[in-house]
């Protein structure tokens, strides 16, 4: 069940990547597949041939990624479940860009051969000089901050997480304000068109920041239910996450459809050509642009200018997270399969990071099965490892360290009210520990 849920949580990344990248084949702001082309090139057979080639390659990559999930579901892959999951997720994020980068390079070569490169220097438009859209008032974001803090009233164990999410809602307000400082949606010399395109993006993504803030509040509510009604809490969390992703994609697609419609007749004369500022069509590098955040050519909303230190730091941190995924999977798999050592010394019992003085043990019980309503509060819960703070009606709050596939289990209560649920990966060893603690 855990394995199936794990793959269901990420398989949708591939259709999403296909949808986003396939949309790059539509001309918007004189761009197709990250390459700026004049209006006359839109129906050029060589350009259309490259577009068709890209879509074929993209389909092959995406289908291959989905098929790779099948062997990962086999029992033989269970030992390396998290490693395979992390490697696949990294591939699903990166691999679809390969056809994009390759086809973009061929289009750039075609552009040079046809003499379509715009040599006139690109002008910069100051968005402050444009008539501003009406800003959403800050008080609209405030209730989302307060809603994130409500679960603290009945779930103190997760106070830090709820407070962090409340801070995120405040940051969404600052992100919304920063959105208005982004580079203008300049396509050609038509200032009115630049104004309209800029306001469309600002209005659409301003609403998205607000939606995200309240989605964060709803996530807090869903997570607070995990320890009380696990299936409802998990269902709400998954549904809210999916809804938020869909809303973000729909916001960007709605913006792109309007861009496509409004720029249908642009590019006949002079047009903005910044292809040389985009590395692979993905990374923006422009030392002459003082802004750190700019409108992205591909993907959702904004990206960073890696020509400046803040942009380098953000991009470096992002790459570090992506590259760390396989190592995280290896660590999780190792932790899920290595021996669980529970030892009894002269004065205390030791189990991982838990230490229980023997003179404080008030009661010890040997359980053949785990409580059916054991719920995670903070910690790890995978097929072969339960570790951290958990809760159930039978035990109350309990610190757990065990393999749920190997019983029996030790339930230890101490004189100061603490409770521990422990087990090794050796049934006989666990029974022997119980015999020593019970004085048998």
């Amino acid at each position: 069940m855990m394995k199936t849920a794990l793959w269901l949580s990420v398989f949708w990344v591939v259709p999403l990547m296909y949808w986003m990248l396939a949309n790059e084949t539509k001309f918007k702001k004189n761009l197709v597949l990250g390459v700026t082309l004049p209006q006359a090139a839109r129906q050029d057979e060589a350009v259309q041939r490259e577009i068709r080639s890209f879509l074929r390659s993209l389909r092959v990559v995406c289908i291959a990624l989905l098929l790779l999930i099948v062997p990962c579901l086999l029992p033989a892959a269970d030992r390396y479940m998290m490693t395979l999951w992390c490697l696949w997720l990294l591939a699903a994020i990166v691999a679809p860009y390969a056809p994009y980068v390759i086809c973009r390079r061929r289009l750039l070569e075609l552009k040079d051969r046809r003499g379509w490169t715009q040599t006139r220097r690109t002008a910069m438009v100051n968005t402050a000089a444009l008539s501003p859209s009406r800003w959403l008032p800050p008080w609209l974001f405030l209730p989302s901050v307060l809603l994130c803090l409500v679960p603290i009233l009945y779930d103190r164990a997760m106070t830090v997480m709820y407070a962090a999410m409340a801070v995120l809602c405040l940051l969404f307000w600052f992100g919304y304000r920063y959105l208005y400082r982004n580079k203008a949606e300049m396509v050609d010399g038509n200032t009115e068109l630049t104004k309209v395109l800029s306001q469309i993006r600002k209005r659409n993504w301003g609403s998205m920041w607000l939606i995200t803030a309240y989605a964060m509040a709803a996530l807090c509510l869903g997570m607070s239910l995990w320890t009380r009604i696990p299936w409802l809490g998990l269902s709400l969390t998954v549904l809210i996450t999916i809804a938020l992703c869909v809303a973000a994609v729909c916001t960007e697609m709605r913006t792109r459809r309007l861009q496509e419609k409004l720029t249908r007749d642009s590019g006949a004369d002079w047009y903005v050509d910044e292809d040389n500022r985009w590395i692979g069509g993905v990374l923006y590098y422009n030392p002459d642009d003082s802004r750190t955040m700019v409108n992205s050519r591909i993907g959702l909303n904004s990206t960073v200018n890696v020509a400046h230190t803040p942009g380098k730091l953000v991009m470096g941190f992002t790459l570090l997270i992506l590259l760390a995924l396989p190592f995280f999977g290896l660590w999780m798999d190792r932790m899920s399969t290595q021996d669980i050592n529970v030892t009894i010394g002269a004065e205390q019992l030791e189990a991982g990071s838990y230490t229980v003085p023997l003179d404080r043990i008030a009661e010890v019980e040997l359980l053949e099965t785990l409580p059916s309503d054991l719920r995670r509060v903070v910690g790890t819960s995978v097929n072969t490892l339960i570790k951290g703070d958990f809760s159930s009606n039978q035990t109350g709050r309990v610190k757990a360290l065990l393999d749920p596939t190997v019983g029996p289990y030790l339930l230890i209560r101490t004189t100061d009210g603490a409770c521990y649920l422990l087990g090794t990966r050796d049934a006989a060893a666990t029974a022997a520990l119980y015999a020593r603690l019970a004085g048998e």
Side-chain angles (χ1 to χ4, degrees):
M1 181 64 181
M2 172 68 183
K3 181 167 59 176
T4 303
L6 197 65
W7 286 103
L8 285 175
S9 69
V10 294
F11 86 95
W12 54 270
V13 172
V14 171
L16 178 64
M17 292 295 292
Y18 179 83
W19 187 21
M20 293 292 296
L21 287 169
N23 186 263
E24 298 299 321
T25 61
K26 298 179 180 179
F27 279 86
K28 299 173 291 291
K29 301 187 298 181
N30 302 325
L31 287 166
V32 65
L33 294 175
V35 178
T36 308
L37 296 174
Q39 190 180 90
R42 298 186 185 186
Q43 301 304 320
D44 186 273
E45 178 54 31
V47 173
Q48 292 299 318
R49 186 165 54 248
E50 292 297 341
I51 290 174
R52 292 192 295 270
S53 174
F54 164 74
L55 289 173
R56 284 194 300 270
S57 300
L58 181 62
R59 280 193 290 270
V60 169
V61 170
C62 290
I63 291 171
L65 285 167
L66 291 174
L67 290 176
L68 280 174
I69 294 177
V70 177
C72 296
L73 292 172
L74 299 175
D78 287 355
R79 182 177 178 85
Y80 307 101
M81 181 176 68
M82 288 304 302
T83 303
L84 293 172
W85 185 83
C86 289
L87 283 170
W88 183 91
L89 182 58
L90 179 60
I93 294 171
V94 175
Y97 282 102
Y100 171 83
V101 172
I102 293 171
C103 187
R104 179 181 180 274
R105 187 183 68 242
R106 292 202 299 258
L107 275 178
L108 285 173
E109 292 171 354
L110 175 65
K111 177 181 176 179
D112 287 340
R113 290 197 302 271
R114 298 289 179 86
W116 288 333
T117 302
Q118 182 64 248
T119 55
R120 178 177 163 185
R121 183 178 180 274
T122 299
M124 302 294 288
V125 173
N126 179 12
T127 54
L130 301 175
S131 301
S133 305
R134 185 177 180 181
W135 288 28
L136 296 174
W139 60 262
L140 285 178
F141 287 79
L142 183 59
S144 68
V145 177
L146 300 177
L147 287 171
C148 285
L149 300 176
V150 167
I152 295 176
L153 299 175
Y154 55 87
D155 187 18
R156 299 291 178 86
M158 304 288 281
T159 296
V160 174
M161 186 195 71
Y162 299 137
M165 295 179 85
V167 171
L168 272 178
C169 291
L170 287 174
L171 293 177
F172 292 151
W173 158 246
F174 288 107
Y176 165 65
R177 290 295 297 266
Y178 191 79
L179 180 66
Y180 281 79
R181 297 173 55 193
N182 275 2
K183 190 177 178 182
E185 296 279 323
M186 189 176 181
V187 178
D188 52 28
N190 188 338
T191 305
E192 283 301 312
L193 179 60
T194 299
K195 172 183 171 181
V196 171
L197 291 173
S198 300
Q199 290 181 346
I200 285 172
R201 177 166 290 278
K202 292 171 183 177
R203 187 184 305 113
N204 286 344
W205 277 96
S207 300
M208 190 60 220
W209 283 112
L210 185 62
I211 291 170
T212 304
Y214 282 92
M216 201 61 53
L219 275 174
C220 284
L221 175 61
M223 290 179 179
S224 71
L225 294 174
W226 280 18
T227 57
R228 289 166 174 78
I229 315 174
W231 68 268
L232 181 58
L234 179 61
S235 299
L236 280 174
T237 301
V238 172
L239 288 174
I240 292 165
T241 302
I242 292 174
L244 187 58
C245 290
V246 170
V249 172
C250 288
T251 297
E252 181 64 22
M253 290 303 176
R254 182 169 61 249
T255 303
R256 292 185 182 193
R257 282 195 299 270
L258 289 170
Q259 288 175 342
E260 182 183 2
K261 180 179 179 180
L262 293 171
T263 60
R264 194 166 291 156
D265 298 326
S266 65
D269 187 16
W270 176 80
Y271 48 89
V272 174
D273 187 349
E274 292 186 316
D275 291 351
N276 62 325
R277 302 295 191 181
W278 290 85
I279 302 172
V282 179
L283 298 179
Y284 182 66
Y285 185 91
N286 188 356
D288 299 325
D289 190 343
S290 61
R291 283 168 281 262
T292 300
M293 299 293 294
V294 297
N295 296 329
S296 180
R297 276 197 171 186
I298 188 171
L300 297 178
N301 198 21
S302 299
T303 188
V304 294
N305 184 356
V306 294
H308 304 305
T309 300
K312 287 185 175 72
L313 291 175
V314 171
M315 189 55 62
F317 181 70
T318 302
L319 291 175
L320 184 63
I321 291 175
L322 290 175
L323 293 175
L325 271 175
F327 299 100
F328 172 76
L330 285 169
W331 174 74
M332 285 291 293
D333 283 331
R334 183 175 181 277
M335 189 173 63
S336 299
T337 55
Q338 68 183 2
D339 291 340
I340 299 176
N341 295 317
V342 180
T343 59
I344 301 175
E347 298 181 349
Q348 62 189 22
L349 177 148
E350 295 182 359
S353 59
Y354 303 137
T355 300
V356 185
L358 296 179
D359 59 1
R360 291 187 182 179
I361 295 178
E363 181 184 352
V364 60
E365 184 179 352
L366 189 66
L367 303 180
E368 293 299 328
T369 59
L370 292 173
S372 59
D373 61 342
L374 190 65
R375 304 176 294 268
R376 179 177 58 181
V377 178
V378 180
T380 301
S381 178
V382 294
N383 278 355
T384 57
L385 181 65
I386 287 178
K387 180 180 180 181
D389 291 347
F390 287 73
S391 175
S392 77
N393 294 332
Q394 178 182 343
T395 63
R397 285 290 292 269
V398 59
K399 294 185 181 299
L401 176 61
L402 55 90
D403 183 338
T405 66
V406 182
Y409 314 98
L410 297 174
L411 178 62
I412 300 172
R413 299 183 190 276
T414 65
T415 54
D416 56 4
C419 186
Y420 297 86
L421 188 56
L422 308 172
T424 68
R425 290 195 165 100
D426 185 331
T430 304
L433 288 168
Y434 170 73
R436 288 186 62 185
L437 292 172
E440 296 179 358

